[in-house]
């Protein structure tokens, strides 16, 4: 199975995302990494952009798609069976819910959806139970969007924050390609 794996700017979850990509790769999936411009270019306390680029490329064996121009042919060339966006930030959720296509990841999703193929969303946002809630709800009602089960990551310090269970990405992908939802979206 060919998987486009998108990362957006939830930098604190990059380690989990890279581990998920590696697990998929080790199980024989063909993984092409796709990163939003901010995710690709920003040095953070969680790692330098150049180090992450090298690690992700080594993990997947494919170069990172990191510009809108590189992402546009995804649909016309029918490049992937499924597209994963994990971590998916509140900002990206809002853009997807409202049809905004101004980043590499949003272009990848738009281009992929033209073929009516599944997009798997792995929520990771501090405002999932705040401003992002309406966008999560909207996307849950859109055709071809499937959610990795997600839940609160720190109810005491971050009462509106939710993150997906990265260990359930593969099972969500397998259901999504059959057009099926996970039974429990929230854990």
């Amino acid at each position: 199975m060919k998987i486009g794996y998108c990362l957006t700017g939830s930098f604190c979850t990059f380690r989990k995302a890279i581990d998920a990509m590696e697990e998929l790769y080790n199980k024989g999936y063909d993984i092409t990494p796709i990163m939003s411009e901010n995710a690709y270019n920003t040095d953070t306390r969680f790692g330098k952009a150049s180090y992450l680029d090298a690690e992700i490329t080594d993990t997947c064996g494919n170069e990172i798609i990191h510009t809108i121009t590189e992402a546009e042919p995804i649909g016309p060339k029918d490049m992937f069976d499924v597209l994963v966006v994990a971590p998916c930030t509140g900002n990206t959720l809002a853009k997807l819910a409202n049809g905004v296509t101004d980043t590499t990841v949003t272009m990848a999703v738009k281009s992929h959806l033209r073929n009516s193929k599944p997009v798997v969303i792995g929520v990771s946002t501090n405002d999932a139970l705040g401003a992002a809630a309406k966008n999560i709800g909207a996307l849950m009602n859109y055709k071809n969007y499937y959610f990795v089960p997600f839940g609160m990551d720190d109810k005491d310090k971050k009462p509106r924050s939710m993150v997906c269970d990265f260990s359930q990405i593969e099972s969500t992908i397998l259901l999504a390609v059959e057009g099926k939802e996970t039974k429990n979206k929230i854990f």
Side-chain angles (χ1 to χ4, degrees):
M1 183 182 312
K2 292 184 177 183
I3 300 171
Y5 194 112
C6 305
L7 293 95
T8 64
S10 178
F11 301 103
C12 62
T13 60
F14 275 13
R15 172 55 33 218
K16 291 178 182 180
I18 293 168
D19 290 347
M21 283 189 284
E22 184 173 24
E23 184 177 328
L24 291 168
Y25 177 79
N26 289 338
K27 289 183 175 183
Y29 296 100
D30 181 1
I31 310 294
T32 299
I34 302 164
M35 295 179 78
S36 68
E37 290 80 350
N38 286 333
Y40 183 78
N41 291 308
T42 305
D43 292 334
T44 72
R45 64 188 173 106
F46 300 103
K48 290 189 137 310
S50 59
Y51 172 76
L52 289 171
D53 176 2
E55 183 179 10
I56 291 168
T57 300
D58 288 346
T59 296
C60 297
N62 287 312
E63 293 295 317
I64 298 170
I65 294 173
H66 60 92
T67 67
I68 290 174
T69 305
E70 293 169 335
E72 186 277 329
I74 288 171
K77 291 185 177 181
D78 200 17
M79 293 172 63
F80 306 117
D81 299 304
V82 64
L83 199 68
V84 175
V85 185
C88 187
T89 62
N91 186 49
T92 300
L93 289 165
K95 290 177 180 193
L96 294 174
N98 291 287
V100 177
T101 307
D102 64 352
T103 70
T104 303
V105 170
T106 56
M107 175 56 80
V109 171
K110 175 187 174 187
S111 189
H112 179 75
L113 284 171
R114 74 181 272 170
N115 298 321
S116 296
K117 290 189 174 181
V119 175
V120 171
I121 302 290
V123 170
S124 181
T125 179
N126 286 329
D127 69 346
L129 295 173
K134 65 183 174 189
N135 299 315
I136 292 169
L139 289 172
M140 283 185 171
N141 283 297
Y142 290 172
K143 187 176 180 178
N144 296 318
Y145 281 96
Y146 301 86
F147 280 76
V148 178
F150 59 98
M152 296 181 79
D153 58 318
D154 187 345
K155 66 180 181 59
D156 295 323
K157 293 181 183 173
K158 301 185 298 182
R160 288 180 268 317
S161 182
M162 296 185 96
V163 67
C164 73
D165 179 354
F166 283 85
S167 71
Q168 294 192 54
I169 289 176
E170 182 186 23
S171 61
T172 306
I173 289 169
L174 294 174
L175 287 168
V177 296
E178 293 181 18
K180 298 177 182 175
E181 296 280 351
T182 57
K183 293 201 187 291
N184 297 311
K185 288 189 183 92
I186 299 177
F187 61 87

